[in-house]
Amino acid sequence: MPRASARIADELRRRIVSGRLAAGFPLPSERELIEEFGVSRPTLREALRVLDSESLIDIKRGSHGGAVVSVPGVHTAAGYLGVILEYRHATIDDVFGAACVLEANCAAMLARSRTEEDLTLLRAAVETERQHRDDPAALLDAQNDFHRLLIDLVGNTTLAVLIGQLREVIDAATRSQLVESALSEEQRLVASAKGVRAHAKLVDLIEQRDADGAAQLRRRQVSATGAYLKESGVGESVLDLLG
């Protein structure tokens, strides 16, 4: 039989992921939980430590402390993924290769299913990029927002989570390159304008329902970013990028 602490952790985990215990709200008090489960304080605290290690709760110390529900996001999952990839000697090339496959297929899926509302959102995201062409950091944020929007509009939660984890690594790599890059201001502006045009072209293909064209363009975009980062020598370690 599982240990008592494991059974408590399992039950509280179910309540959290089902939404019965909502993010941002405190767990019942220690006294309430001890009475409910009929266990000792050390056993309960062992269960809470398990949930804390899974980022399902945030344990606050002090007189106003307690356990608060904190559902993990993509960044938390990406941290676990980074450990596994690093252990298996994955490279940034591996990450970009996987992203090429997944994001190209998402672009094709969206081209087949897009609505007028989707196109409005995508064009607004591209316009935001245009407004930040002279600010490299703000432009990078806008471009990352475009990438996330593109995936979210596909409407497949599993793909969104999987690609979101890969995007955590890719976004960290591109941000690192932005800090370390020796490009001149003129080169930055040229690269920025090229990136915005590529996204605008992708939206055009999605509007035309050209699934093959959208997939090919998205694949080239992701591949080109990966090749550029590899050439710049940024981000050899997946785990270091996420650290």
Side-chain angles (χ1 to χ4, degrees):
M1 291 290 292
R3 297 171 61 180
S5 59
R7 294 199 301 273
I8 296 169
D10 286 345
E11 174 57 28
L12 292 176
R13 187 185 298 110
R14 278 192 290 269
R15 295 180 189 180
I16 291 171
V17 299
S18 68
R20 283 184 287 164
L21 292 172
F25 287 85
L27 287 181
S29 67
E30 273 194 353
R31 179 179 299 176
E32 292 174 287
L33 291 173
I34 287 171
E35 290 179 359
E36 177 184 353
F37 292 109
V39 295
S40 65
R41 179 173 282 107
T43 298
L44 175 64
R45 289 185 173 178
E46 184 178 348
L48 296 183
R49 281 194 293 271
V50 171
L51 298 176
D52 185 34
S53 71
E54 297 174 350
S55 299
L56 289 173
I57 62 172
D58 180 20
I59 299 177
K60 301 182 183 297
R61 312 296 179 185
S63 58
H64 299 290
V68 177
V69 177
S70 176
V71 178
V74 170
H75 181 74
T76 302
Y80 295 136
L81 175 67
V83 172
I84 296 171
L85 291 177
E86 191 75 8
Y87 178 75
R88 299 188 65 168
H89 308 294
T91 64
I92 297 300
D93 278 347
D94 291 332
V95 173
F96 274 92
C100 277
V101 173
L102 293 174
E103 294 197 35
N105 278 281
C106 282
M109 292 167 67
L110 186 56
R112 297 187 188 101
S113 66
R114 97 302 184 273
T115 64
E116 290 301 317
E117 183 181 359
D118 293 338
L119 294 173
T120 298
L121 292 172
L122 288 168
R123 295 204 182 282
V126 172
E127 182 56 34
T128 299
E129 291 183 40
R130 289 195 180 97
Q131 294 171 4
H132 294 297
R133 280 183 299 183
D134 297 336
D135 184 341
L139 175 61
L140 181 59
D141 288 337
Q143 289 174 330
N144 291 339
D145 288 343
F146 177 89
H147 300 147
R148 283 188 288 270
L149 175 63
L150 183 72
I151 304 306
D152 289 343
L153 290 178
V154 173
N156 186 300
T157 301
T158 302
L159 278 173
V161 172
L162 291 174
I163 297 173
Q165 293 178 65
L166 297 177
R167 272 278 142 203
E168 286 284 324
V169 179
I170 291 172
D171 293 351
T174 53
R175 194 167 301 281
S176 177
Q177 189 277 335
L178 177 66
V179 172
E180 298 177 13
S181 175
L183 291 177
S184 67
E185 186 63 23
E186 182 179 355
Q187 289 173 315
R188 285 184 188 276
L189 292 174
V190 170
S192 297
K194 182 178 179 180
V196 174
R197 287 197 302 271
H199 283 174
K201 175 61 176 176
L202 180 60
V203 177
D204 288 341
L205 292 170
I206 291 171
E207 181 178 22
Q208 296 161 16
R209 299 192 186 278
D210 184 350
D212 289 341
Q216 290 172 12
L217 179 57
R218 188 68 195 125
R219 189 179 297 110
R220 289 198 303 270
Q221 290 172 347
V222 177
S223 180
T225 301
Y228 178 68
L229 290 175
K230 182 177 180 180
E231 183 179 343
S232 69
V234 171
E236 292 298 327
S237 167
V238 173
L239 197 58
D240 285 348
L241 287 171
L242 293 171

